[in-house]
Amino acid sequence: MFGLEELQQKVLELKKELNAIIVAHNYQRPEVQNIADLTGDSLELARKCAGNKAETIVFCGVRFMAETAAILNPSSTVLLSHADAGCPLADMIDVERLRQWKEKYPEAAVVAYVNTTAAVKAESDFCCTSANGVEVVDAVPSEEILFVPDQNLGHYVSTKTSKKMILYPGFCNTHAKLTAEEVKLAKQRYPQAKVLVHPECRPEVIDLADAALSTSQMLRYAKQSNHKVFLIGTEEGILHSLREQNSDKEFHLISDGFICPDMKKTTLETVIETMQTRSNVVTVPEEIGIRAKQAIDKMLDIT
Ligand code: 13P
């Protein structure tokens, strides 16, 4: 068993050896975020990876995020920090099901949430993240949008746009668990708190919140706000940066156990093992990568 400092030292050595950068999503464990060169939400990580020249990108997050990094950096080797870190939401739609829905709605432009496989992105017209869903949908040159796969994010976007939105019935297991009742109870306990939730939460939860924001938007909101107490409705990993960047403010999760099991598969040990063995290489077939990149690039151009 090694101590924290030895593990961190080992990561630094391996980073040099592999000429690697380490990127971590805001939901990662604090000790993993602390060794990362870049942290952020899905949009920021896509953007930051897009301009990167590192030989190796070690992606601490889940598979669809590492796939996006691989699509945007065909010359880098992308390693995922744990072989089985997936996203049940992304797995709720595959190419076959998407094609069936497209046949039902031939006039609709397809906007795919970034939480999808590369193959689904390749079948879509535009990509979006929780940070820019409204902006992307408004910019699509079509009045009818087929939004996949997160129905809660899709519903939230539909409340902010005049476009006709067809929602595929997918959801995030972690966010959809949060109930309106839990929000009401938390508000009773902290009546002065601002309530920030992720747009993957249910509509009735979003209705009770002060804002529905991506994880990095929450960080910016908290920093700029004069309020001192916040109730947070997203995965607990975000608390690390919220608290670190705002030592004068209080942050409480709306419900205990707000944990994404896949995000938590990554530990410092799995990062080290991945780097030592150069394993979990994430590749996307060229033909799929080219088409998926078009949907991602269109999003990056809009935002
Ligand atoms: P963000 O893009 O807001 O960080 O969210 C990613 C995600 O997968 C939420 O479940």
Side-chain angles (χ1 to χ4, degrees), residues 1-302:
M1 276 300 272
F2 292 105
L4 186 60
E5 266 175 43
E6 284 145 291
L7 293 174
Q8 286 168 337
Q9 190 51 39
K10 190 73 208 157
V11 172
L12 284 179
E13 284 165 26
L14 286 163
K15 235 172 65 161
K16 260 201 203 135
E17 213 176 296
L18 270 68
N19 186 16
I21 58 158
I22 301 180
V23 302
H25 186 265
N26 290 326
Y27 292 156
Q28 289 290 295
R29 295 169 190 272
E31 63 275 22
V32 173
Q33 294 191 44
N34 286 345
I35 49 105
D37 301 287
L38 306 170
T39 55
D41 66 5
S42 309
L43 179 62
E44 288 175 330
L45 295 182
R47 263 194 203 297
K48 288 172 181 172
C49 283
N52 216 277
K53 301 229 167 3
E55 225 169 275
T56 306
I57 297 173
V58 182
F59 208 109
C60 304
V62 294
R63 185 163 292 274
F64 76 81
M65 296 179 176
E67 273 190 351
T68 306
I71 292 165
L72 293 172
N73 295 273
S75 58
S76 302
T77 301
V78 177
L79 307 179
L80 178 59
S81 52
H82 190 289
D84 303 327
C87 172
L89 165 61
D91 294 337
M92 285 181 189
I93 188 161
D94 57 16
V95 170
E96 203 179 311
R97 267 177 285 181
L98 176 53
R99 286 190 181 147
Q100 288 163 2
W101 277 64
K102 280 168 75 168
E103 267 175 37
K104 265 198 337 206
Y105 302 101
E107 300 298 320
V110 180
V111 176
Y113 188 27
V114 71
N115 298 40
T116 44
T117 61
V120 164
K121 288 186 183 78
E123 283 288 318
S124 304
D125 300 302
F126 288 79
C127 186
C128 80
T129 73
S130 61
N132 62 19
V134 179
E135 224 174 324
V136 170
V137 164
D138 276 341
V140 173
S142 164
E143 281 311 303
E144 197 176 59
I145 310 288
L146 171 56
F147 192 91
V148 300
D150 190 277
Q151 61 182 336
N152 291 330
L153 174 62
H155 178 271
Y156 172 70
V157 173
S158 78
T159 65
K160 305 274 172 199
T161 180
S162 58
K163 303 230 165 155
K164 179 174 178 214
M165 305 239 337
I166 300 139
L167 308 181
Y168 184 87
F171 58 90
C172 162
N173 289 318
T174 304
H175 285 94
K177 258 194 236 150
L178 183 64
T179 64
E181 209 40 53
E182 287 173 307
V183 181
K184 284 180 195 158
L185 283 172
K187 281 173 91 160
Q188 273 170 22
R189 198 154 166 222
Y190 300 100
Q192 74 283 39
K194 280 274 170 199
V195 180
L196 311 182
V197 302
H198 196 275
E200 286 177 19
C201 291
R202 294 163 183 271
E204 61 272 24
V205 165
I206 293 179
D207 283 347
L208 291 168
D210 292 292
L213 302 167
S214 82
T215 52
S216 289
Q217 286 172 335
M218 285 185 193
L219 290 172
R220 287 192 282 278
Y221 186 107
K223 212 173 201 168
Q224 285 160 13
S225 172
N226 294 327
H227 280 79
K228 293 285 178 218
V229 185
F230 297 85
L231 287 166
I232 302 297
T234 196
E235 214 273 351
E236 55 142 40
I238 192 65
L239 293 176
H240 173 60
S241 296
L242 281 169
R243 288 177 178 151
E244 205 171 64
Q245 295 173 17
N246 303 280
S247 51
D248 57 330
K249 298 175 184 172
E250 258 179 55
F251 300 92
H252 305 278
L253 276 188
I254 297 174
S255 86
D256 288 339
F258 214 132
I259 291 171
C260 169
D262 281 276
M263 282 284 177
K264 292 302 185 270
K265 283 177 181 164
T266 294
T267 60
L268 281 183
E269 285 85 352
T270 72
V271 175
I272 289 169
E273 199 192 326
T274 300
M275 290 169 90
Q276 268 171 341
T277 55
R278 275 81 161 154
S279 52
N280 313 333
V281 178
V282 176
T283 53
V284 175
E286 198 184 341
E287 179 269 329
I288 289 179
I290 289 170
R291 288 187 296 131
K293 187 170 184 302
Q294 287 169 0
I296 298 166
D297 282 344
K298 282 198 253 175
M299 165 186 82
L300 294 175
D301 286 347
I302 291 168

